[in-house]
Amino acid sequence: MYDYIIAGSGLFGAVLAHELRQKHKSVLVVEKRRHIGGNIYSENITGIHVHRYGPHIFHTNSQKVWDYINQFTGFNRFTNTPIANYNGEIYSLPFSMYTFNKMWGVITPEQAKAKIDEQRRESGITEPRNLEEQAISLVGRDIYERLIKGYTEKQWGRPCSELPAFIIKRLPVRFTYDSNYFNALYQGIPLDGYTKIIENMLEGIEVKTGCDYLAERGQLEGLADKVIFTGQIDEYFGYSLGTLEYRTLRFETEVLQDTDNFQGNAIVNYTDSITPYTRCIEHKHFYPGNDTLGTVITREYSSEWQSGDEPYYPVNDAKNNSLYEEYRKMAAEKCPDVIFGGRLGEYKYYDMDQVILRALEVSAQIL
């Protein structure tokens, strides 16, 4: 009945569905959740676009990706300038001259670099072996202790000394007075919310929500020549080789009708170890100038993934990457008509622009 069944209506699946339909392929999209959009799903609450599964700020240096996504929506001018709250003290993120000035009273980049070099020498670190040593090498012990250690250990549920160094390499460090978190040419939030993007991508395509592909595989497999699966690759094979590890998130969203401005910023990271949540989101600040009465906040909690939870972040250490490679080989040998893709299918963290590029690459290959 169809050329392709796509399991999952997140950004990866939606881009592929759109590209296949543009080439006159028949597509059925099945989605386990009751709504489309995967983790970028947004909903309107009291006139405010709320990111249901954590904040998503679109950013890219790719002209190709920017032109592509703008087919489906317009973007505002939002610039991500998160702040850190450490026991009531506020620091600028990313780590910039504002951070260094607040931490040490330094004014020039030369002074900041000298302070970091001093703390690096005192630590005796020459070749960072883990996240803790990598962080101290990048920004010194003071910033590590106040702004990295507590947040990271809440996020990953492990001591920083047991986490791989590469995790912290994504963190921007700048010796300028620039609070823009992303060093990206293009950045913003979709004017009509993220769900509208997915709706426009899937226009004219048959979509079934509340349909778990794995639970209904027996009925669905015979309906198409090919399957594109964007769920967990280990779950697809019944965890037969073992279970890949993930971190999961829990969100507490609250509508505050008695205040129009709760925290003065879209994202506040809580970097102490005592506060149980990692960050608090105030959604109306994603739309500068939003004068809607009241506000909506979301507190985000991180924990170890268990079966039945929603997997968010792959734990890409050596053990899990090796296990994923075994599943990838199994997929290639046993399921040549199934394409595994996206964050869960490839067991890899992707930013949104990377998801789009990957989906366009896969669509070009299969077409």
Side-chain angles (χ1 to χ4, degrees), residues 99-108 111:
T99 319
F100 307 141
N101 175 263
K102 176 71 180 286
M103 186 68 67
W104 300 313
V106 299
I107 297 173
T108 68
Q111 292 170 333

Side-chain angles (χ1 to χ4, degrees), residues 1 6-7 24 33-34 60 107 111 133 145 164 189 193 195 225 230 265 285 299 316 318 321 341 361 365:
M1 292 179 62
I6 299 178
H24 310 293
R33 291 170 173 166
R34 295 290 177 181
T60 186
I107 297 173
Q111 292 170 333
E133 294 182 356
E145 293 287 350
I189 302 288
T195 303
D225 295 328
T230 70
N265 205 53
H285 294 308
R299 295 180 178 90
N316 289 121
N321 287 343
E361 178 185 354
Q365 291 171 352

Side-chain angles (χ1 to χ4, degrees), residues 6-11 13-14 29-31 35-38 198 202 207 209 230:
I6 299 178
S9 65
L11 196 53
V29 175
V30 296
E31 169 58 55
H35 59 72
I36 60 172
I198 303 300
L202 297 178
V207 179
T209 58
T230 70

Side-chain angles (χ1 to χ4, degrees), residues 98 118 133 154 173 179 219 244 247 255 290 301 328 336 362:
Y98 290 114
E118 175 190 331
E133 294 182 356
K154 286 188 291 187
V173 179
S179 295
Q219 300 173 24
L244 291 166
R247 294 294 288 176
V255 178
N290 186 333
Y301 300 78
R328 190 192 65 78
V362 171

Side-chain angles (χ1 to χ4, degrees), residues 242-261:
T243 302
L244 291 166
E245 293 179 286
Y246 301 87
R247 294 294 288 176
T248 190
L249 299 174
R250 177 172 61 86
F251 305 98
E252 289 183 355
T253 296
E254 187 177 355
V255 178
L256 304 177
Q257 298 177 331
D258 297 330
T259 180
D260 296 331
N261 189 352

Side-chain angles (χ1 to χ4, degrees), residues 317-331:
D317 57 16
K319 178 186 71 173
N320 283 287
N321 287 343
S322 176
L323 179 57
Y324 164 70
E325 186 62 22
E326 293 302 310
Y327 275 116
R328 190 192 65 78
K329 291 177 182 177
M330 178 183 285

